[in-house]
Amino acid sequence: MRLNRKRSREGTDMGSARNHGREARRISSNPKRGRVRFALLLGLFSALGPFTVDMYLSSLPQLTRTFQSDPTTVQLSLTSCLLGLALGQVFLGPLSDSLGRRRPLAAAMLLYAAASVACASAPDVESFIALRFLQGFVASAGIVISRAIVRDSYSGVELTKFIALLTMIGNVAPLISPVAGSVVTSYAPWTSVFLCLALLGLGLTAVTLLGIKETLPPERRAASGIAGVLGQYRRLIADRSFIGYALVTGILFAGVFAYVAATPFVYQTMYGVSPLLYSVLFALNGGAIMLGSLLVRRLAGQRDEASIVRLGLWTACVSSAAVLLVVLAGGPLYALVAALFAFAMSIGMIGPATFALAMEKQGHRAGQAAALLGILPYLFGSLASPIVGIAGESSALPFGILLLASSLLAALAYAGLAARPRAAAAG
């Protein structure tokens, strides 16, 4: 009798394990249409970062006049937003590991709507800078939690392919957000941009409540507590391969955000393009990132992710060197646009591949791992953004130097940290 009960319990445990395995593979086994629909849904949240950063960029000169300030001070609103996007992930990633993905995401989207309204009501530039930090902090939930949901649902080559698809969809936001901002400010004051972002936050709150299912069941959640969270972060930082890939992306994105901060002035002030044409040129590089991600999706399964990262880093170094040469020579606009297009394409290649390589062993702490991967780009970006304006509106030299330096340092981080553990494992 006892033996029968024991066998019954074992059969129940095995059945539970099989059910858990089927649930973990449920999304991965969806047909292609279901996978694209899932990516579109998560893409709405990962696009919140680009919308928060990019949609107001064409308004920077207008903000300078409104607040009677200078470009460097106004660019601090970009810096504070990037810091908020970085630090928010540190807190909200672990929170989603302990509370699940859905509840923190819904609360953050509602707070994002409120913060956007507050930005539109800012009485002075100092208040505006502080509120932009708050807006970025809660917007980070869309980035870090959507990526944790991806890791909950996929692994291996499927993770690489899906994150490439998500990157392609997410980079529609850089294509349309600057244009949308320019259209709004063509007919209304800059405050209307932030009211539009508030409506976006309300819409994403509804999407969370109605369209997002919980992917982290209670039995898989991490124990809460500061000590536990800090311990997991220490283990992640001590993981040489993980931190190597995280630094590759983070350092490289210092150049990306230097581009974001510099080009409104480089294009509009130095080359005399209109706000609308600036938005088109900015959107062109969003298309380049999508093209790089499409290449990753095509190559995944045929070439290993590490070789894709190496190809992307070579492209980044060569194209950023070309940007610096154009700046030094005072070259034509088309030469600058072409070099930046190649650089943006390298970002689309490196991002999905490094994410998949970094996350492949982090399923048990996906929220914290995604947070650390997410914080470094915004941390390095927030440091780089104000530097591009130190030579004034009439010089792009700091921008060119930063772009090349970030590419070279990212290549060194890969060679010194990420590549060595893989080589040792292969040996």
Side-chain angles (χ1 to χ4, degrees):
M1 190 72 176
R2 290 179 180 174
L3 182 60
N4 289 337
R5 281 197 295 266
K6 182 178 180 181
R7 287 175 176 171
S8 176
R9 284 195 300 270
E10 289 175 349
T12 301
D13 292 342
M14 291 173 65
S16 176
R18 284 194 295 269
N19 288 337
H20 179 72
R22 282 195 294 269
E23 177 64 20
R25 293 190 299 269
R26 176 180 58 82
I27 297 175
S28 294
S29 62
N30 277 349
K32 184 177 180 180
R33 183 177 300 176
R35 183 177 300 175
V36 172
R37 185 162 51 244
F38 185 46
L40 285 170
L41 195 63
L42 293 182
L44 292 173
F45 295 95
S46 59
L48 191 61
F51 263 96
T52 304
V53 173
D54 300 340
M55 192 171 175
Y56 94 125
L57 288 177
S58 62
S59 302
L60 286 175
Q62 186 180 350
L63 282 162
T64 303
R65 294 190 296 269
T66 299
F67 291 127
Q68 297 181 344
S69 187
D70 57 89
T72 302
T73 302
V74 171
Q75 282 175 335
L76 287 175
S77 65
L78 177 60
T79 301
S80 66
C81 180
L82 296 176
L83 282 172
L85 282 163
L87 294 177
Q89 294 183 66
V90 174
F91 291 97
L92 298 177
L95 189 67
S96 75
D97 280 343
S98 60
L99 298 180
R101 313 301 185 200
R102 194 165 174 265
R103 284 188 296 166
L105 186 59
M109 294 304 97
L110 191 59
L111 288 171
Y112 177 84
S116 299
V117 173
C119 285
S121 307
D124 50 53
V125 69
E126 292 80 11
S127 301
F128 181 72
I129 291 169
L131 289 167
R132 283 285 285 168
F133 174 84
L134 178 61
Q135 187 189 34
F137 188 94
V138 291
S140 69
I143 301 168
V144 68
I145 296 179
S146 66
R147 290 190 161 208
I149 290 172
V150 172
R151 184 58 187 86
D152 290 341
S153 309
Y154 294 96
S155 61
V157 173
E158 291 302 311
L159 174 61
T160 304
K161 289 183 175 180
F162 188 86
I163 200 67
L165 176 61
L166 184 62
T167 302
M168 290 171 59
I169 293 171
N171 277 287
V172 173
L175 290 174
I176 63 175
S177 56
V179 177
S182 295
V183 170
V184 169
T185 53
S186 296
Y187 298 97
W190 63 267
T191 54
S192 301
V193 171
F194 291 92
L195 295 178
C196 290
L197 292 175
L199 291 175
L200 178 62
L202 291 175
L204 289 176
T205 304
V207 169
T208 305
L209 296 175
L210 301 176
I212 296 292
K213 294 181 179 180
E214 182 58 65
T215 59
L216 188 67
E219 63 270 16
R220 291 173 53 201
R221 293 175 188 174
S224 58
I226 295 176
V229 169
L230 292 178
Q232 291 285 15
Y233 273 128
R234 281 196 298 270
R235 283 185 280 275
L236 280 170
I237 293 171
D239 186 331
R240 188 184 181 95
S241 178
F242 175 85
I243 202 64
Y245 289 118
L247 284 172
V248 167
T249 305
I251 294 171
L252 196 61
F253 267 73
V256 173
F257 286 112
Y259 158 79
V260 169
T263 50
F265 299 98
V266 172
Y267 282 150
Q268 295 181 76
T269 302
M270 295 180 61
Y271 285 94
V273 306
S274 67
L276 186 58
L277 179 56
Y278 157 73
S279 298
V280 173
L281 293 175
F282 192 91
L284 182 66
N285 287 328
I289 295 175
M290 293 176 66
L291 185 61
S293 300
L294 178 61
L295 182 61
V296 172
R297 188 165 169 77
R298 296 287 187 184
L299 291 176
Q302 301 177 27
R303 298 183 62 175
D304 64 279
E305 289 87 348
S307 66
I308 297 173
V309 173
R310 290 193 295 271
L311 177 60
L313 286 170
W314 273 110
T315 306
C317 290
V318 172
S319 58
S320 58
V323 169
L324 182 57
L325 287 175
V326 172
V327 168
L328 289 171
L333 178 62
Y334 70 83
L336 181 62
V337 170
L340 288 172
F341 184 90
F343 179 78
M345 185 172 150
S346 74
I347 301 301
M349 297 169 61
I350 294 167
T354 53
F355 180 86
L357 288 167
M359 293 290 284
E360 62 183 350
K361 298 179 182 178
Q362 310 301 334
H364 58 297
R365 51 190 177 203
Q368 285 186 262
L372 200 53
L373 285 172
I375 183 177
L376 291 179
Y378 291 105
L379 181 61
F380 284 111
S382 66
L383 296 174
S385 297
I387 297 175
V388 299
I390 60 175
E393 297 182 36
S394 59
S395 175
L397 185 58
F399 161 57
I401 293 172
L402 270 173
L403 204 66
L404 179 58
S406 67
S407 299
L408 294 174
L409 288 172
L412 287 174
Y414 173 78
L417 293 171
R420 287 186 178 181
R422 294 188 71 86

Short mmCIF file of all heavy atoms in Angstrom, two decimals, residues 87-150:
data_model
loop_
_atom_site.label_atom_id
_atom_site.label_comp_id
_atom_site.label_asym_id
_atom_site.label_seq_id
_atom_site.Cartn_x
_atom_site.Cartn_y
_atom_site.Cartn_z
N LEU A 87 18.69 53.40 -13.66
CA LEU A 87 18.49 53.04 -12.26
C LEU A 87 17.15 52.35 -12.03
O LEU A 87 17.03 51.49 -11.16
CB LEU A 87 18.60 54.30 -11.39
CG LEU A 87 19.98 54.95 -11.36
CD1 LEU A 87 19.95 56.23 -10.52
CD2 LEU A 87 21.02 53.99 -10.81
N GLY A 88 16.15 52.73 -12.82
CA GLY A 88 14.85 52.08 -12.68
C GLY A 88 14.94 50.59 -12.92
O GLY A 88 14.28 49.79 -12.23
N GLN A 89 15.77 50.18 -13.86
CA GLN A 89 15.90 48.77 -14.16
C GLN A 89 16.53 48.00 -13.00
O GLN A 89 16.20 46.84 -12.76
CB GLN A 89 16.74 48.59 -15.43
CG GLN A 89 16.04 49.12 -16.67
CD GLN A 89 16.84 48.89 -17.93
OE1 GLN A 89 17.04 47.75 -18.34
NE2 GLN A 89 17.31 49.96 -18.56
N VAL A 90 17.43 48.66 -12.27
CA VAL A 90 18.08 48.01 -11.12
C VAL A 90 17.05 47.60 -10.07
O VAL A 90 17.16 46.54 -9.45
CB VAL A 90 19.13 48.96 -10.50
CG1 VAL A 90 19.71 48.36 -9.22
CG2 VAL A 90 20.24 49.23 -11.50
N PHE A 91 16.04 48.44 -9.88
CA PHE A 91 15.02 48.16 -8.87
C PHE A 91 13.86 47.34 -9.43
O PHE A 91 13.37 46.41 -8.78
CB PHE A 91 14.49 49.48 -8.28
CG PHE A 91 15.49 50.21 -7.46
CD1 PHE A 91 16.24 51.24 -8.01
CD2 PHE A 91 15.70 49.89 -6.12
CE1 PHE A 91 17.18 51.92 -7.26
CE2 PHE A 91 16.63 50.57 -5.36
CZ PHE A 91 17.38 51.59 -5.92
N LEU A 92 13.43 47.66 -10.63
CA LEU A 92 12.22 47.03 -11.16
C LEU A 92 12.47 45.64 -11.72
O LEU A 92 11.57 44.80 -11.72
CB LEU A 92 11.60 47.94 -12.23
CG LEU A 92 11.15 49.31 -11.71
CD1 LEU A 92 10.62 50.18 -12.84
CD2 LEU A 92 10.09 49.16 -10.63
N GLY A 93 13.70 45.36 -12.18
CA GLY A 93 14.03 44.01 -12.63
C GLY A 93 13.92 43.00 -11.50
O GLY A 93 13.18 42.02 -11.61
N PRO A 94 14.63 43.20 -10.37
CA PRO A 94 14.47 42.29 -9.23
C PRO A 94 13.05 42.25 -8.68
O PRO A 94 12.60 41.20 -8.21
CB PRO A 94 15.45 42.86 -8.19
CG PRO A 94 16.46 43.61 -8.99
CD PRO A 94 15.71 44.18 -10.14
N LEU A 95 12.36 43.39 -8.72
CA LEU A 95 10.97 43.40 -8.24
C LEU A 95 10.11 42.44 -9.05
O LEU A 95 9.26 41.72 -8.50
CB LEU A 95 10.41 44.82 -8.31
CG LEU A 95 9.05 45.06 -7.66
CD1 LEU A 95 9.15 44.89 -6.15
CD2 LEU A 95 8.53 46.45 -8.01
N SER A 96 10.35 42.39 -10.35
CA SER A 96 9.57 41.48 -11.19
C SER A 96 9.98 40.03 -10.98
O SER A 96 9.20 39.12 -11.25
CB SER A 96 9.72 41.86 -12.67
OG SER A 96 10.98 41.47 -13.18
N ASP A 97 11.21 39.78 -10.50
CA ASP A 97 11.63 38.42 -10.16
C ASP A 97 10.91 37.90 -8.93
O ASP A 97 10.71 36.70 -8.78
CB ASP A 97 13.14 38.37 -9.92
CG ASP A 97 13.94 38.31 -11.21
OD1 ASP A 97 13.36 37.99 -12.27
OD2 ASP A 97 15.16 38.60 -11.16
N SER A 98 10.52 38.81 -8.03
CA SER A 98 9.88 38.39 -6.78
C SER A 98 8.36 38.51 -6.80
O SER A 98 7.68 37.73 -6.15
CB SER A 98 10.45 39.19 -5.60
OG SER A 98 10.22 40.57 -5.78
N LEU A 99 7.82 39.47 -7.56
CA LEU A 99 6.37 39.69 -7.59
C LEU A 99 5.70 39.19 -8.86
O LEU A 99 4.48 39.23 -8.97
CB LEU A 99 6.05 41.18 -7.42
CG LEU A 99 6.48 41.85 -6.11
CD1 LEU A 99 6.09 43.32 -6.10
CD2 LEU A 99 5.88 41.13 -4.91
N GLY A 100 6.50 38.75 -9.82
CA GLY A 100 5.94 38.40 -11.12
C GLY A 100 6.08 39.58 -12.07
O GLY A 100 6.46 40.68 -11.68
N ARG A 101 5.79 39.35 -13.33
CA ARG A 101 6.00 40.38 -14.35
C ARG A 101 4.83 41.35 -14.49
O ARG A 101 5.02 42.54 -14.75
CB ARG A 101 6.25 39.70 -15.72
CG ARG A 101 7.25 38.55 -15.70
CD ARG A 101 8.62 38.95 -15.22
NE ARG A 101 9.57 37.84 -15.34
CZ ARG A 101 10.69 37.75 -14.68
NH1 ARG A 101 11.06 38.71 -13.83
NH2 ARG A 101 11.50 36.71 -14.85
N ARG A 102 3.63 40.89 -14.33
CA ARG A 102 2.45 41.65 -14.74
C ARG A 102 2.13 42.83 -13.83
O ARG A 102 1.90 43.95 -14.29
CB ARG A 102 1.25 40.69 -14.82
CG ARG A 102 0.04 41.23 -15.55
CD ARG A 102 -0.92 40.09 -15.87
NE ARG A 102 -2.15 40.58 -16.46
CZ ARG A 102 -3.26 40.83 -15.77
NH1 ARG A 102 -3.26 40.65 -14.45
NH2 ARG A 102 -4.34 41.27 -16.37
N ARG A 103 2.09 42.60 -12.53
CA ARG A 103 1.70 43.67 -11.60
C ARG A 103 2.66 44.85 -11.59
O ARG A 103 2.23 46.01 -11.68
CB ARG A 103 1.53 43.10 -10.18
CG ARG A 103 0.24 42.30 -9.98
CD ARG A 103 0.07 41.94 -8.51
NE ARG A 103 1.12 41.06 -8.05
CZ ARG A 103 1.38 40.79 -6.77
NH1 ARG A 103 0.67 41.38 -5.82
NH2 ARG A 103 2.34 39.95 -6.44
N PRO A 104 3.99 44.62 -11.47
CA PRO A 104 4.90 45.78 -11.52
C PRO A 104 4.82 46.53 -12.85
O PRO A 104 4.95 47.76 -12.88
CB PRO A 104 6.28 45.14 -11.33
CG PRO A 104 6.02 43.85 -10.64
CD PRO A 104 4.71 43.37 -11.17
N LEU A 105 4.59 45.81 -13.95
CA LEU A 105 4.52 46.46 -15.26
C LEU A 105 3.30 47.38 -15.34
O LEU A 105 3.40 48.52 -15.81
CB LEU A 105 4.47 45.40 -16.35
CG LEU A 105 4.53 45.89 -17.80
CD1 LEU A 105 5.81 46.67 -18.05
CD2 LEU A 105 4.43 44.71 -18.76
N ALA A 106 2.16 46.91 -14.87
CA ALA A 106 0.94 47.73 -14.91
C ALA A 106 1.08 48.99 -14.05
O ALA A 106 0.71 50.10 -14.47
CB ALA A 106 -0.26 46.91 -14.45
N ALA A 107 1.62 48.83 -12.85
CA ALA A 107 1.79 49.98 -11.95
C ALA A 107 2.75 51.01 -12.55
O ALA A 107 2.51 52.22 -12.49
CB ALA A 107 2.29 49.51 -10.59
N ALA A 108 3.84 50.53 -13.15
CA ALA A 108 4.83 51.44 -13.73
C ALA A 108 4.25 52.23 -14.91
O ALA A 108 4.53 53.42 -15.08
CB ALA A 108 6.07 50.66 -14.17
N MET A 109 3.44 51.58 -15.73
CA MET A 109 2.85 52.28 -16.89
C MET A 109 1.89 53.39 -16.44
O MET A 109 1.83 54.46 -17.04
CB MET A 109 2.12 51.29 -17.79
CG MET A 109 3.03 50.26 -18.47
SD MET A 109 4.38 50.98 -19.46
CE MET A 109 5.76 50.91 -18.30
N LEU A 110 1.17 53.14 -15.36
CA LEU A 110 0.28 54.17 -14.83
C LEU A 110 1.07 55.35 -14.28
O LEU A 110 0.73 56.52 -14.51
CB LEU A 110 -0.62 53.56 -13.75
CG LEU A 110 -1.80 54.40 -13.28
CD1 LEU A 110 -2.74 54.74 -14.43
CD2 LEU A 110 -2.57 53.67 -12.18
N LEU A 111 2.15 55.06 -13.58
CA LEU A 111 3.00 56.12 -13.05
C LEU A 111 3.70 56.90 -14.18
O LEU A 111 3.94 58.09 -14.06
CB LEU A 111 4.05 55.53 -12.10
CG LEU A 111 3.52 55.05 -10.75
CD1 LEU A 111 4.61 54.30 -9.99
CD2 LEU A 111 3.00 56.22 -9.92
N TYR A 112 3.99 56.21 -15.27
CA TYR A 112 4.61 56.88 -16.41
C TYR A 112 3.68 57.94 -16.98
O TYR A 112 4.12 59.05 -17.33
CB TYR A 112 4.94 55.85 -17.50
CG TYR A 112 5.52 56.45 -18.74
CD1 TYR A 112 6.88 56.73 -18.83
CD2 TYR A 112 4.72 56.75 -19.84
CE1 TYR A 112 7.43 57.29 -19.98
CE2 TYR A 112 5.26 57.31 -20.99
CZ TYR A 112 6.60 57.57 -21.05
OH TYR A 112 7.14 58.14 -22.19
N ALA A 113 2.41 57.63 -17.07
CA ALA A 113 1.45 58.61 -17.57
C ALA A 113 1.43 59.85 -16.67
O ALA A 113 1.42 60.99 -17.16
CB ALA A 113 0.06 57.99 -17.64
N ALA A 114 1.44 59.64 -15.35
CA ALA A 114 1.44 60.77 -14.42
C ALA A 114 2.72 61.60 -14.52
O ALA A 114 2.68 62.84 -14.51
CB ALA A 114 1.26 60.25 -12.99
N ALA A 115 3.87 60.94 -14.66
CA ALA A 115 5.14 61.65 -14.78
C ALA A 115 5.20 62.47 -16.05
O ALA A 115 5.79 63.57 -16.08
CB ALA A 115 6.30 60.65 -14.73
N SER A 116 4.62 61.98 -17.13
CA SER A 116 4.62 62.70 -18.40
C SER A 116 3.81 63.99 -18.29
O SER A 116 4.21 65.03 -18.82
CB SER A 116 4.06 61.81 -19.51
OG SER A 116 4.85 60.65 -19.68
N VAL A 117 2.68 63.92 -17.62
CA VAL A 117 1.88 65.12 -17.40
C VAL A 117 2.66 66.13 -16.56
O VAL A 117 2.63 67.35 -16.83
CB VAL A 117 0.54 64.77 -16.71
CG1 VAL A 117 -0.23 66.03 -16.30
CG2 VAL A 117 -0.32 63.92 -17.62
N ALA A 118 3.38 65.64 -15.55
CA ALA A 118 4.18 66.53 -14.71
C ALA A 118 5.29 67.21 -15.52
O ALA A 118 5.58 68.39 -15.31
CB ALA A 118 4.78 65.74 -13.55
N CYS A 119 5.91 66.51 -16.47
CA CYS A 119 6.94 67.11 -17.32
C CYS A 119 6.36 68.27 -18.13
O CYS A 119 7.01 69.31 -18.30
CB CYS A 119 7.54 66.07 -18.26
SG CYS A 119 8.67 64.92 -17.49
N ALA A 120 5.17 68.07 -18.64
CA ALA A 120 4.53 69.13 -19.44
C ALA A 120 4.21 70.36 -18.60
O ALA A 120 4.06 71.46 -19.15
CB ALA A 120 3.25 68.59 -20.08
N SER A 121 4.11 70.18 -17.29
CA SER A 121 3.76 71.29 -16.39
C SER A 121 4.97 71.89 -15.69
O SER A 121 4.79 72.74 -14.81
CB SER A 121 2.76 70.78 -15.34
OG SER A 121 1.66 70.13 -15.94
N ALA A 122 6.17 71.48 -16.03
CA ALA A 122 7.37 71.94 -15.33
C ALA A 122 7.52 73.46 -15.44
O ALA A 122 7.46 74.01 -16.54
CB ALA A 122 8.60 71.26 -15.89
N PRO A 123 7.73 74.16 -14.31
CA PRO A 123 7.82 75.63 -14.35
C PRO A 123 9.19 76.16 -14.78
O PRO A 123 9.31 77.31 -15.20
CB PRO A 123 7.51 76.02 -12.91
CG PRO A 123 7.98 74.85 -12.10
CD PRO A 123 7.74 73.63 -12.94
N ASP A 124 10.24 75.34 -14.65
CA ASP A 124 11.59 75.81 -14.99
C ASP A 124 12.44 74.62 -15.41
O ASP A 124 12.02 73.46 -15.30
CB ASP A 124 12.23 76.53 -13.80
CG ASP A 124 12.15 75.73 -12.51
OD1 ASP A 124 12.57 74.55 -12.51
OD2 ASP A 124 11.65 76.27 -11.50
N VAL A 125 13.64 74.90 -15.90
CA VAL A 125 14.47 73.84 -16.45
C VAL A 125 14.94 72.86 -15.38
O VAL A 125 15.08 71.66 -15.64
CB VAL A 125 15.67 74.44 -17.23
CG1 VAL A 125 16.67 75.11 -16.28
CG2 VAL A 125 16.36 73.38 -18.08
N GLU A 126 15.17 73.34 -14.16
CA GLU A 126 15.60 72.45 -13.09
C GLU A 126 14.51 71.42 -12.75
O GLU A 126 14.80 70.23 -12.59
CB GLU A 126 15.97 73.24 -11.83
CG GLU A 126 17.22 74.10 -11.97
CD GLU A 126 16.97 75.42 -12.68
OE1 GLU A 126 15.79 75.78 -12.89
OE2 GLU A 126 17.96 76.09 -13.05
N SER A 127 13.28 71.88 -12.65
CA SER A 127 12.16 70.97 -12.38
C SER A 127 11.99 69.99 -13.54
O SER A 127 11.72 68.80 -13.33
CB SER A 127 10.87 71.75 -12.17
OG SER A 127 10.99 72.63 -11.09
N PHE A 128 12.13 70.49 -14.75
CA PHE A 128 11.99 69.65 -15.92
C PHE A 128 13.03 68.53 -15.92
O PHE A 128 12.71 67.36 -16.20
CB PHE A 128 12.12 70.50 -17.19
CG PHE A 128 11.96 69.73 -18.47
CD1 PHE A 128 10.72 69.26 -18.86
CD2 PHE A 128 13.06 69.49 -19.28
CE1 PHE A 128 10.57 68.55 -20.05
CE2 PHE A 128 12.93 68.79 -20.46
CZ PHE A 128 11.68 68.32 -20.85
N ILE A 129 14.26 68.85 -15.59
CA ILE A 129 15.32 67.85 -15.54
C ILE A 129 15.00 66.78 -14.49
O ILE A 129 15.17 65.57 -14.73
CB ILE A 129 16.67 68.52 -15.24
CG1 ILE A 129 17.12 69.36 -16.45
CG2 ILE A 129 17.74 67.49 -14.90
CD1 ILE A 129 18.30 70.28 -16.17
N ALA A 130 14.53 67.20 -13.32
CA ALA A 130 14.19 66.25 -12.25
C ALA A 130 13.03 65.35 -12.66
O ALA A 130 13.04 64.14 -12.40
CB ALA A 130 13.86 67.01 -10.97
N LEU A 131 12.02 65.92 -13.29
CA LEU A 131 10.85 65.14 -13.70
C LEU A 131 11.19 64.17 -14.83
O LEU A 131 10.59 63.10 -14.93
CB LEU A 131 9.71 66.07 -14.11
CG LEU A 131 9.05 66.82 -12.95
CD1 LEU A 131 8.17 67.94 -13.46
CD2 LEU A 131 8.25 65.85 -12.07
N ARG A 132 12.14 64.56 -15.67
CA ARG A 132 12.57 63.64 -16.72
C ARG A 132 13.25 62.40 -16.11
O ARG A 132 13.13 61.29 -16.64
CB ARG A 132 13.54 64.34 -17.67
CG ARG A 132 12.86 65.26 -18.65
CD ARG A 132 12.17 64.50 -19.76
NE ARG A 132 13.14 63.99 -20.73
CZ ARG A 132 12.86 63.10 -21.66
NH1 ARG A 132 11.64 62.58 -21.74
NH2 ARG A 132 13.79 62.69 -22.51
N PHE A 133 13.95 62.57 -14.99
CA PHE A 133 14.51 61.42 -14.29
C PHE A 133 13.40 60.48 -13.85
O PHE A 133 13.48 59.26 -14.04
CB PHE A 133 15.33 61.87 -13.09
CG PHE A 133 15.81 60.72 -12.23
CD1 PHE A 133 16.98 60.05 -12.56
CD2 PHE A 133 15.10 60.32 -11.12
CE1 PHE A 133 17.43 58.98 -11.78
CE2 PHE A 133 15.53 59.26 -10.34
CZ PHE A 133 16.70 58.58 -10.67
N LEU A 134 12.35 61.03 -13.25
CA LEU A 134 11.23 60.21 -12.78
C LEU A 134 10.55 59.50 -13.95
O LEU A 134 10.20 58.31 -13.87
CB LEU A 134 10.22 61.08 -12.03
CG LEU A 134 8.95 60.38 -11.53
CD1 LEU A 134 9.30 59.27 -10.55
CD2 LEU A 134 8.02 61.39 -10.87
N GLN A 135 10.36 60.23 -15.05
CA GLN A 135 9.74 59.64 -16.23
C GLN A 135 10.57 58.47 -16.75
O GLN A 135 10.03 57.40 -17.08
CB GLN A 135 9.56 60.70 -17.31
CG GLN A 135 8.77 60.22 -18.51
CD GLN A 135 8.80 61.22 -19.65
OE1 GLN A 135 9.79 61.92 -19.85
NE2 GLN A 135 7.71 61.30 -20.40
N GLY A 136 11.88 58.65 -16.83
CA GLY A 136 12.74 57.57 -17.28
C GLY A 136 12.75 56.39 -16.33
O GLY A 136 12.78 55.23 -16.76
N PHE A 137 12.68 56.66 -15.03
CA PHE A 137 12.72 55.60 -14.02
C PHE A 137 11.56 54.62 -14.22
O PHE A 137 11.75 53.40 -14.26
CB PHE A 137 12.65 56.22 -12.62
CG PHE A 137 12.88 55.26 -11.49
CD1 PHE A 137 14.14 55.08 -10.96
CD2 PHE A 137 11.82 54.52 -10.97
CE1 PHE A 137 14.36 54.19 -9.91
CE2 PHE A 137 12.03 53.62 -9.94
CZ PHE A 137 13.29 53.45 -9.40
N VAL A 138 10.34 55.15 -14.35
CA VAL A 138 9.19 54.25 -14.49
C VAL A 138 9.10 53.67 -15.91
O VAL A 138 8.59 52.56 -16.10
CB VAL A 138 7.88 54.96 -14.09
CG1 VAL A 138 7.86 55.21 -12.59
CG2 VAL A 138 7.69 56.27 -14.84
N ALA A 139 9.61 54.40 -16.91
CA ALA A 139 9.62 53.86 -18.27
C ALA A 139 10.51 52.63 -18.38
O ALA A 139 10.28 51.76 -19.23
CB ALA A 139 10.10 54.93 -19.26
N SER A 140 11.51 52.53 -17.50
CA SER A 140 12.45 51.40 -17.56
C SER A 140 11.75 50.06 -17.36
O SER A 140 12.25 49.03 -17.81
CB SER A 140 13.54 51.57 -16.51
OG SER A 140 13.01 51.42 -15.20
N ALA A 141 10.60 50.07 -16.69
CA ALA A 141 9.86 48.81 -16.49
C ALA A 141 9.49 48.18 -17.82
O ALA A 141 9.53 46.95 -17.98
CB ALA A 141 8.61 49.07 -15.66
N GLY A 142 9.11 49.00 -18.79
CA GLY A 142 8.75 48.47 -20.09
C GLY A 142 9.91 47.74 -20.75
O GLY A 142 9.72 46.72 -21.43
N ILE A 143 11.13 48.24 -20.55
CA ILE A 143 12.32 47.63 -21.16
C ILE A 143 12.72 46.36 -20.43
O ILE A 143 12.83 45.29 -21.03
CB ILE A 143 13.48 48.63 -21.16
CG1 ILE A 143 13.10 49.90 -21.93
CG2 ILE A 143 14.74 48.01 -21.74
CD1 ILE A 143 14.06 51.05 -21.75
N VAL A 144 12.93 46.46 -19.12
CA VAL A 144 13.51 45.35 -18.38
C VAL A 144 12.52 44.20 -18.22
O VAL A 144 12.88 43.02 -18.34
CB VAL A 144 14.06 45.82 -17.02
CG1 VAL A 144 12.96 46.26 -16.07
CG2 VAL A 144 14.92 44.74 -16.39
N ILE A 145 11.25 44.50 -17.97
CA ILE A 145 10.29 43.42 -17.74
C ILE A 145 9.95 42.72 -19.04
O ILE A 145 9.77 41.50 -19.07
CB ILE A 145 9.04 43.96 -17.01
CG1 ILE A 145 9.44 44.47 -15.62
CG2 ILE A 145 7.98 42.87 -16.88
CD1 ILE A 145 8.30 45.05 -14.81
N SER A 146 9.85 43.47 -20.14
CA SER A 146 9.58 42.81 -21.42
C SER A 146 10.72 41.85 -21.78
O SER A 146 10.48 40.76 -22.30
CB SER A 146 9.37 43.85 -22.53
OG SER A 146 10.55 44.57 -22.79
N ARG A 147 11.96 42.22 -21.50
CA ARG A 147 13.09 41.34 -21.78
C ARG A 147 13.10 40.12 -20.86
O ARG A 147 13.47 39.01 -21.27
CB ARG A 147 14.40 42.10 -21.66
CG ARG A 147 14.60 43.11 -22.78
CD ARG A 147 15.99 43.68 -22.78
NE ARG A 147 16.31 44.27 -24.07
CZ ARG A 147 17.54 44.37 -24.56
NH1 ARG A 147 18.56 43.92 -23.85
NH2 ARG A 147 17.76 44.91 -25.73
N ALA A 148 12.70 40.32 -19.60
CA ALA A 148 12.60 39.18 -18.69
C ALA A 148 11.53 38.21 -19.15
O ALA A 148 11.69 36.98 -19.05
CB ALA A 148 12.30 39.67 -17.27
N ILE A 149 10.44 38.73 -19.69
CA ILE A 149 9.38 37.88 -20.23
C ILE A 149 9.91 37.05 -21.39
O ILE A 149 9.58 35.86 -21.54
CB ILE A 149 8.17 38.74 -20.66
CG1 ILE A 149 7.46 39.31 -19.43
CG2 ILE A 149 7.19 37.93 -21.50
CD1 ILE A 149 6.38 40.32 -19.75
N VAL A 150 10.76 37.65 -22.22
CA VAL A 150 11.36 36.91 -23.34
C VAL A 150 12.20 35.75 -22.81
O VAL A 150 12.10 34.62 -23.31
CB VAL A 150 12.23 37.85 -24.21
CG1 VAL A 150 13.01 37.05 -25.24
CG2 VAL A 150 11.36 38.88 -24.92
#
